[in-house]
Amino acid sequence: MEILAFGVQADEKPLIERAFGIHEDVRCLDVFLNADTAPIAAGHEIVSTSVNADLGADVLEILAAGGTRMVAQRSTGFNNVDLDTAERLGMTVARVSSYSPYSVAEFAWTLAMAVNRRIVRASIRTRDFDFRLDGLMGRDLHGRTAGVLGTGKIGEAFARIAHGFGMRLLGWDVAENPACAELGMRYVPKDELLARSDLITLHVPLMPETRHLIDAAALKAMRDDALLINSSRGGLIDTAALVGELRAGRFAGVGLDVYEAEAGLFFLDKSLEAVEDDTLARLVTFPNVLVTSHQAYYTEDAVGQIVDATVRNVLDYREGRRSENVLVPRS
């Protein structure tokens, strides 16, 4: 029986075909799952989806009407899935509960170093044979303070790199990570972390409780010369409020691999179309802002682990097994 995989990137396709090919037939599509594309899945018991798939109630209804009984999401986050509707429809939903934390942590550091040392601006200049240093001055991070919001596996990996840089560590989370404490991290209230950190990085899941965790008040609590990095979920930051602070000349650098309205934009080529998102259009014009297209996880190691876990989820569904990856069990 064929599995239909939506939103497959070109680099990802051979990994998926090779991993599934041992056990199952799979057809890869580069289109993303939404209300318009959901009818394509008719006749497929199992579909696999990417992080920006629309798995709201209306899409799940279409899938269920077409015979889909299992959704295997190739990501850790599941804020895009209406789990209540899936349960009502008797659909199994599984995700990838974990993959290489280093992929995201290392990319968060890539963003931090790029905005701190003005790498993009320097690269553009040198391609035009402009070798001036004006406006390219950064700061040593050694001896400064890194504030880590969310100290799970990815936050811990980020903290280990920060420790290697010789930075002081502040942490905030619902539960302390002993491994981070061993690195010298001190857990403090969020407002204190924001006010004292030179570098702030976000590594928490997007839930109703964390939506706009970094709101207007939180942004104002940060230092004017802080570095702000988000490689987790776009909805953690109130982007309109962030634009307002940037217009006021605040922050030494902002690195964003995610954006709260990225669905329908990220992973697609929009270069020949008019930009309809005024907030994003304004955001990318700031010289101290670097936006990338949700690629922090995109390493051979992490994607390979994601694909392997997705295959296991499908096999578990076939055999009636349940793992920690199952969000809605088979009815």
Side-chain angles (χ1 to χ4, degrees), residues 257-268:
D257 185 51
V258 288
Y259 174 61
E260 61 180 325
E262 68 181 55
L265 289 172
F266 282 21
F267 306 145
L268 300 172

Side-chain angles (χ1 to χ4, degrees), residues 1 4-5 25 77 100 110 121 146 173 175-176 202 211 214 228 281:
M1 187 176 296
L4 193 62
D25 291 328
S100 169
T110 301
R121 184 186 300 180
D173 208 328
E176 296 186 9
L202 308 180
R211 182 168 182 79
I214 304 300
L228 174 62

